Amino acid sequence: MNMKKLTLKVCVVSFPWKSYAPYKFLSDVLKILEPISDNVVLIDGNTSRINIPSKKVEVRDIGMSMHHLKNIKLRFHSAILWITKCVLVQFKTSLELIKAKKEVDVVIFYVAYPYYLLPLITAKTFRKKTVEVITRSKPNSSLSKILRLQDPLLFRLLDGISPESKELTRELCLEKYKNKLLPEGARFIDVSRYTVKKTLNERKNVVGFIGRLRKEKGVVEFVEAIPLVARENKDVEILIGGSGDLLGWVKEECKRIENGNNIKITITGFIKEEEFPNYLNEPKLLALPTQHAEGLPTVILEAMACGTPVLATPVGGIPDVIKDGETGFIMENNSPECIAKNIVRVLEYPDLDKVTKNARKLIEEKYTYKAAVERYRRIFKKLQ
């Protein structure tokens, strides 16, 4: 692939989350940046989880790892300890930025929100261009709303704001920063791995939920919708994949539902990355009833690439890729009744195969590696 390099030295700053998902995203971003940058510096913790594309990428590990605050029991002393560690992470990240100042022209904050104010000030002090790639939507928890109070300061200091998807511009009211808005910072899907291995005609009547088993992802409402679906369609099977703090509850509740409704429910637990394409080729429908402050959920794009219809709530960047009856299906809310009604609707939809082909075409046109590199090239050009 012939790609003319820009004369930019890039630093990617991320927050050292304990969870694994951000490191898959970071690996993708590094692969995008590598061919269009002179060199790339990554500052983060848990860097052993990241796939480094070449020796051009220099890794600076701050040696720390952090849980989300909502995963910690909110006792006074534990909250104070967490806040102290959070400040220390930003301080150590800033020190690494200072050490790397001669190697950096642009600092990209990726999956670092909302804990990057001190590194941002440091980067601005040394006159570096700064960009946040927005991977979140409108906050829906009290903690998120409190942390969002710093957004006006962050956006004022940043040189560029790159929403992962266009819909996020509206959700976060970013129009007021239109002079700083950059092209979309969406990543890519490996369409050679995530591909159609089973046509819809070859699949059983399986409805899947694949993702983190957490309340904000809508897994509780999905499980509560299963008996309602079973009453309408006796041939449906359920697949639930993923891990999280609700895994135990999901297993117990699904066992009770199986016994009372004569429906087969498979619970896989954690799914390894290399097995993901196979699992996404099993369902005839993937449901994502999330109310989480999503950006553009990767699992939706991966399912679309695998020829699996997606039914999702219209949060974050989801409406940018899911058009009801065209590239997928939208449900009005994530109540169990609404989920069940729409699952039945989709399974009975007369032109389901056409929807999956449209979805795959969208992925091939907009979310390939080549398309992602071009997106980031445009981001850099607009910064210069």
Side-chain angles (χ1 to χ4, degrees), residues 43-185:
I43 302 176
D44 195 6
N46 303 314
T47 56
S48 61
R49 301 175 182 175
I50 299 171
N51 295 322
I52 306 301
S54 76
K55 292 181 180 179
K56 189 193 293 187
V57 179
E58 177 191 352
V59 175
R60 294 175 177 250
D61 197 308
I62 63 171
M64 293 187 70
S65 184
M66 298 284 291
H67 282 291
H68 282 274
L69 182 57
K70 60 188 173 185
N71 293 352
I72 298 171
K73 292 182 179 178
L74 286 178
R75 297 188 183 94
F76 179 76
H77 69 277
S78 59
I80 293 298
L81 177 61
W82 192 93
I83 292 169
T84 302
K85 285 183 67 178
C86 184
V87 172
L88 183 58
V89 165
Q90 295 193 56
F91 179 73
K92 293 183 76 170
T93 300
S94 297
L95 284 180
E96 292 300 333
L97 263 176
I98 293 170
K99 292 176 186 177
K101 64 181 184 294
K102 293 183 179 179
E103 306 165 43
V104 173
D105 299 315
V106 177
V107 180
I108 296 177
F109 296 98
Y110 192 88
V111 200
Y113 181 86
Y115 310 111
Y116 70 87
L117 178 58
L118 185 55
L120 173 58
I121 292 172
T122 301
K124 295 299 295 180
T125 299
F126 290 96
R127 298 182 180 180
K128 308 302 179 184
K129 294 283 189 179
T130 55
V131 177
E132 185 195 348
V133 177
I134 307 288
T135 59
R136 64 189 188 281
S137 59
K138 191 175 180 180
N140 53 14
S141 69
S142 298
L143 176 60
S144 298
K145 290 175 183 177
I146 292 170
L147 291 170
R148 196 188 178 197
L149 294 175
Q150 68 176 323
D151 281 10
L153 176 58
L154 294 175
F155 293 149
R156 182 176 179 180
L157 290 173
L158 287 164
D159 294 293
I161 303 165
S162 172
E164 195 174 30
S165 184
K166 286 181 181 178
E167 184 67 15
L168 302 182
T169 300
R170 183 193 63 79
E171 280 227 356
L172 295 175
C173 303
L174 297 177
E175 297 91 346
K176 66 182 77 172
Y177 306 103
K178 61 181 180 181
N179 60 319
K180 295 187 176 185
L181 284 176
L182 300 172
E184 299 165 40

Side-chain angles (χ1 to χ4, degrees), residues 255-311:
K255 185 176 182 180
R256 184 187 66 79
I257 291 171
E258 271 189 308
N259 293 336
N261 294 273
N262 193 29
I263 184 170
K264 182 180 178 182
I265 305 175
T266 302
I267 302 172
T268 69
F270 177 76
I271 299 175
K272 294 180 180 179
E273 166 66 19
E274 58 269 22
E275 297 174 352
F276 234 74
N278 293 331
Y279 276 99
L280 286 174
N281 267 271
E282 290 302 318
K284 192 166 280 186
L285 172 65
L286 182 75
L288 189 70
T290 180
Q291 287 300 308
H292 184 49
E294 303 279 0
L296 186 58
T298 304
V299 69
I300 285 182
L301 303 180
E302 291 168 341
M304 292 168 71
C306 291
T308 302
V310 175
L311 169 67

Side-chain angles (χ1 to χ4, degrees), residues 356-368:
T356 62
K357 288 177 180 176
N358 290 341
R360 172 73 187 187
K361 183 180 178 183
L362 176 64
I363 299 300
E364 291 175 341
E365 289 177 350
K366 191 171 180 180
Y367 295 101
T368 62

Side-chain angles (χ1 to χ4, degrees), residues 130-250:
T130 55
V131 177
E132 185 195 348
V133 177
I134 307 288
T135 59
R136 64 189 188 281
S137 59
K138 191 175 180 180
N140 53 14
S141 69
S142 298
L143 176 60
S144 298
K145 290 175 183 177
I146 292 170
L147 291 170
R148 196 188 178 197
L149 294 175
Q150 68 176 323
D151 281 10
L153 176 58
L154 294 175
F155 293 149
R156 182 176 179 180
L157 290 173
L158 287 164
D159 294 293
I161 303 165
S162 172
E164 195 174 30
S165 184
K166 286 181 181 178
E167 184 67 15
L168 302 182
T169 300
R170 183 193 63 79
E171 280 227 356
L172 295 175
C173 303
L174 297 177
E175 297 91 346
K176 66 182 77 172
Y177 306 103
K178 61 181 180 181
N179 60 319
K180 295 187 176 185
L181 284 176
L182 300 172
E184 299 165 40
R187 300 183 318 281
F188 66 93
I189 301 300
D190 185 346
V191 292
S192 64
R193 286 189 64 236
Y194 289 91
T195 188
V196 181
K197 298 179 181 181
K198 279 187 180 181
T199 65
L200 289 183
N201 291 334
E202 296 174 310
R203 304 185 193 190
K204 294 181 179 179
N205 232 20
V206 176
V207 177
F209 176 102
I210 297 177
R212 295 196 303 276
L213 304 185
R214 298 185 58 84
K215 182 174 176 56
E216 64 269 18
K217 287 291 186 177
V219 67
V220 171
E221 291 81 3
F222 178 80
V223 170
E224 290 175 348
I226 294 173
L228 305 179
V229 175
R231 291 173 201 165
E232 297 292 328
N233 192 323
K234 302 297 182 184
D235 297 327
V236 170
E237 298 180 14
I238 301 296
L239 170 68
I240 299 178
S243 59
D245 55 11
L246 289 178
L247 179 58
W249 178 87
V250 168

